[in-house]
Amino acid sequence: MLILTVRSPSNEPREYIVKPGKTTVGRKLDNDIVIADESASRLHAEIYCQADIAVIVDMGSRNGTFVNRERLTQPHALRPEDQIRIGQHVVSIAFRDDRTAADLIAALARTQPLTRELLLESVDQHAVLLYEVASRLNTILDLKTALQEVSNLMRVSMGAEKCEVVLADRFDQLAELGFPTSIAQQAIEQHSVVVTPDVSSQADQILGQSARLLGIRTMLCVPVMIGEEVAALIYVYKTDPASRPFDQHDVQLAVAISHQAALTIQRTHLLEKAQLLEQWAITDSLTGLHNRRHFLELAELEFHRARRYQHPLSAMMLDIDHFKRVNDTYSHALGDQVIQAVAALCRENLRDIDLMGRYGGDEFVALVPEVNLDDARKAAERLRKIIADAPIDTERGPLNITISIGVVALAPDYLDFASLLNQADAALYTAKNAGRNRVEASS
């Protein structure tokens, strides 16, 4: 008995039993096998079946019928390992004899090492489907969302009720997933595909009670390999009693998709690393504020925008009073805690549109758009009082800290941000000389 399984990137697989005689294949709805693909011709191909012999013939289709990646130019006798491609649809071949179905299931119910040869063969056989999978995944940056898409694509393409991609950091939670832990562990530890075409043929002590409680009929588990490491695990199962068991074509499809999952994990990890490196390049590692270089870049742009459109703009320069005494008395580690706490209080009490950076050591700088000198001085005074009234919790107990602030506003004679910042620094110096724990504004 010849059975064709038709798969596409967006629909569940459909299985056709090819009867003796002629079977038509094409886009037209009255074909015996309908290929809902714009690349398919109305009558695309015909299959002639007699006894255990089946021959496929292309009917002059516009885009061709491909068997094992080669376009048909003459009739081709089908073999079990053959794969037919029409547009984005892939058709796998199986010759089944009901009298030996149990033997076939028993032969498949085993582990298959995830070798390079199996991976290459699987990717090669499902190149069209993988192209569609890759095109969808390449637009997704979040790893969780991407792996959910992998799960959905695999579940649909294999006609399964459940599919999930489990990352390695969740392997200690396998017992909570509802999938037989023994099967999952076998796939992980042996770096092998584990397939059970007929769960009912397996002893309960092998699969445990979870498979029976979930009503699993057939299941498959494949590790996602990155180099020699198992980066994730894909498990998939069916519960519908009428569904066909997983076969070797499903194994190849699962292996091919696991390869795409591996590429997706690597891609998102590289993106995360790049984003982290970019963040490190512009952020002060101790406080999380803009570092000096990045702050000055942003401030220069804001300065010229305000000057061009004649909008108000103010700057604050502040530092922690007697900070050297804190380091000398308590330790540099506790001094770091103080810097972090002051930075957090400043960030919490400035507006979202305000820029703030660590200028160096215990010195901070803030840029306050759309605020004149008088309002900036009031904001600085409010900030000074908040810090003075809030003892900082440290490992040595609460510590009272004060700050001094210099404030300046944009004026026509400031030609660049550096000149504005120098004036704020001069005002800060005045506040320090006047006794600290105070705000001084430059006129």
Side-chain angles (χ1 to χ4, degrees):
M1 179 171 61
L2 174 63
I3 297 180
L4 303 182
T5 303
V6 181
R7 293 185 174 90
S8 73
S10 55
N11 295 306
E12 294 187 1
R14 296 191 63 181
E15 193 173 85
Y16 296 89
I17 298 175
V18 179
K19 299 176 180 179
K22 181 177 72 174
T23 297
T24 60
V25 182
R27 193 177 75 247
K28 194 176 179 182
L29 296 180
D30 60 359
N31 283 294
D32 299 308
I33 299 176
V34 177
I35 304 294
D37 191 317
E38 292 182 358
S39 299
S41 298
R42 292 169 63 82
L43 175 60
H44 199 97
E46 291 182 346
I47 298 174
Y48 299 89
C49 188
Q50 182 176 357
D52 58 350
I53 299 175
V55 175
I56 184 169
V57 179
D58 181 79
M59 301 304 292
S61 63
R62 182 179 59 184
N63 294 308
T65 303
F66 293 81
V67 177
N68 304 329
R69 301 172 307 284
E70 293 187 6
R71 184 165 183 163
L72 287 185
T73 57
Q74 57 186 4
H76 175 86
L78 294 172
R79 300 181 300 273
E81 65 272 16
D82 284 345
Q83 190 174 77
I84 305 167
R85 179 173 66 81
I86 297 175
Q88 290 189 330
H89 285 64
V90 175
V91 184
S92 55
I93 313 296
F95 288 94
R96 297 181 189 169
D97 186 340
D98 291 340
R99 293 170 298 176
T100 61
D103 296 332
L104 292 173
I105 288 174
L108 187 61
R110 57 182 172 84
T111 61
Q112 298 184 43
L114 190 50
T115 61
R116 177 178 174 82
E117 289 71 23
L118 176 58
L119 176 60
L120 291 176
E121 180 184 2
S122 300
V123 170
D124 193 41
Q125 289 291 331
H126 296 278
V128 175
L129 177 62
L130 288 185
Y131 177 81
E132 178 68 19
V133 172
S135 65
R136 296 188 191 183
L137 293 178
N138 286 340
T139 62
I140 303 174
L141 300 181
D142 175 65
L143 179 57
K144 182 179 179 181
T145 304
L147 295 183
Q148 184 60 52
E149 182 70 10
V150 171
S151 298
N152 291 337
L153 287 166
M154 188 164 174
R155 178 181 54 78
V156 171
S157 62
M158 299 185 74
E161 281 74 48
K162 175 70 173 180
C163 179
E164 185 170 353
V165 183
V166 184
L167 290 172
D169 59 9
R170 292 179 58 204
F171 283 173
D172 59 346
Q173 304 172 24
L174 289 175
E176 303 170 14
L177 300 178
F179 188 79
T181 307
S182 59
I183 299 297
Q185 289 289 1
Q186 188 178 10
I188 294 168
E189 293 169 4
Q190 298 183 14
H191 295 187
S192 297
V193 182
V194 183
V195 57
T196 305
D198 182 8
V199 170
S200 64
S201 66
Q202 301 294 304
D204 285 345
Q205 61 266 29
I206 298 177
L207 301 179
Q209 294 185 352
S210 54
R212 181 165 49 81
L213 292 174
L214 290 169
I216 296 176
R217 300 287 178 167
T218 180
M219 60 184 177
L220 190 153
C221 201
V222 57
V224 177
M225 304 296 300
I226 297 180
E228 297 299 318
E229 300 295 323
V230 181
L233 181 76
I234 302 178
Y235 71 86
V236 56
Y237 62 73
K238 300 180 183 182
T239 58
D240 185 354
S243 60
R244 62 174 182 80
F246 289 130
D247 57 21
Q248 186 61 27
H249 292 289
D250 295 306
V251 170
Q252 289 186 334
L253 177 58
V255 169
I257 293 180
S258 78
H259 176 64
Q260 189 61 56
L263 295 177
T264 298
I265 293 171
Q266 289 177 298
R267 176 175 61 84
T268 53
H269 283 172
L270 286 173
L271 286 173
E272 289 170 359
K273 185 176 181 179
Q275 290 169 352
L276 183 60
L277 290 173
E278 181 181 359
Q279 190 66 21
W280 284 350
I282 65 175
T283 304
D284 173 61
S285 59
L286 181 62
T287 63
L289 300 175
H290 297 305
N291 61 24
R292 177 172 177 163
R293 180 184 60 80
H294 189 56
F295 174 84
L296 292 177
E297 289 175 354
L298 297 176
E300 193 70 38
L301 294 173
E302 188 64 34
F303 174 88
H304 288 292
R305 185 196 68 82
R307 195 167 186 273
R308 177 180 181 182
Y309 296 105
Q310 298 183 350
H311 285 196
L313 179 71
S314 296
M316 302 179 190
M317 180 77 80
L318 64 94
D319 76 356
I320 301 169
D321 296 329
H322 302 297
F323 183 70
K324 184 177 184 301
R325 186 185 304 169
V326 173
N327 278 338
D328 293 344
T329 303
Y330 298 102
S331 75
H332 286 275
L334 190 139
D336 286 347
Q337 292 181 33
V338 170
I339 289 175
Q340 289 174 321
V342 170
L345 284 170
C346 290
R347 184 66 270 173
E348 290 170 8
N349 290 281
L350 289 173
R351 304 169 303 171
D352 290 341
I353 66 169
D354 298 333
L355 292 175
M356 185 165 185
R358 186 181 179 194
Y359 199 66
D362 63 318
E363 242 182 348
F364 301 91
V365 61
L367 195 65
V368 191
E370 307 296 338
V371 173
N372 59 31
L373 181 62
D374 186 52
D375 288 339
R377 185 189 60 76
K378 292 176 182 177
E381 178 61 30
R382 183 172 62 253
L383 190 60
R384 181 204 63 77
K385 188 174 187 306
I386 287 171
I387 291 174
D389 293 345
I392 295 172
D393 291 328
T394 71
E395 59 187 21
R396 300 285 291 273
L399 189 63
N400 292 313
I401 294 296
T402 62
I403 61 172
S404 298
I405 307 176
V407 182
V408 66
L410 178 61
D413 52 336
Y414 297 131
L415 301 181
D416 54 25
F417 179 70
S419 58
L420 184 71
L421 193 60
N422 287 338
Q423 198 62 33
D425 192 32
L428 172 62
Y429 184 77
T430 301
K432 290 284 190 181
N433 286 339
R436 295 181 171 83
N437 190 23
R438 61 187 294 123
V439 175
E440 289 289 340
S442 176
S443 57

